[in-house]
């Protein structure tokens, strides 16, 4: 009987989807914010652009100008989606009051 669970959590196919890109952007940005205290507002945008570049590279479309333009604008969709997920997960917790940096903290406060 074959396993219903895939052998890889992230593949090239899932990395290139909106959900995959948003997940990677959310956790990488929040992880770097938690570890180094870098401003998540700008870091999230940079990470989303890098995720789009990686997706284009993995799909062998990095040299396609049309795919590059679409990928550039999709990176903003990924950024806003990741920021929204983080905002929802953070709730009213702004962090810093207890001396601890939360993993999910609003990128815009």
């Amino acid at each position: 009987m074959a396993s219903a669970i895939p052998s890889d959590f992230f593949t090239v196919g899932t990395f290139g989807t909106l959900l995959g890109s948003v997940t990677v952007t959310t956790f990488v940005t929040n992880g770097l914010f938690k570890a180094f205290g870098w401003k998540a507002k700008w870091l999230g945008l940079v990470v989303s652009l890098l995720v789009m570049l990686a997706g284009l590279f993995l799909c062998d479309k990095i040299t396609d100008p049309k795919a590059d333009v679409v990928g550039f604008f999709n990176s903003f969709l990924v950024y806003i989606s990741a920021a929204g997920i983080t905002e929802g997960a953070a709730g009213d917790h702004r962090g810093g009051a207890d001396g601890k940096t939360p993993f999910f903290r609003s990128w815009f406060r």
Side-chain angles (χ1 to χ4, degrees), residues 27-49:
F27 282 96
V28 168
T29 302
N30 287 324
L32 290 172
F33 170 74
K34 173 81 172 162
F36 301 111
W38 296 341
K39 296 288 182 187
K41 183 188 312 186
W42 295 107
L43 180 62
L45 184 57
V46 170
V47 170
S48 69
L49 287 166

Side-chain angles (χ1 to χ4, degrees), residues 23-98:
T23 302
V24 170
T25 300
T26 301
F27 282 96
V28 168
T29 302
N30 287 324
L32 290 172
F33 170 74
K34 173 81 172 162
F36 301 111
W38 296 341
K39 296 288 182 187
K41 183 188 312 186
W42 295 107
L43 180 62
L45 184 57
V46 170
V47 170
S48 69
L49 287 166
L50 292 174
V51 166
M52 277 296 116
L53 283 174
L56 288 170
F57 174 76
L58 292 172
C59 294
D60 292 326
K61 293 191 176 192
I62 195 106
T63 58
D64 181 6
K66 290 180 185 178
D68 293 341
V69 170
V70 171
F72 174 75
F73 288 111
N74 279 343
S75 65
F76 292 100
L77 176 63
V78 168
Y79 169 70
I80 292 299
S81 299
I85 288 171
T86 302
E87 181 74 29
D92 290 335
H93 185 60
R94 293 181 183 236
D98 57 0

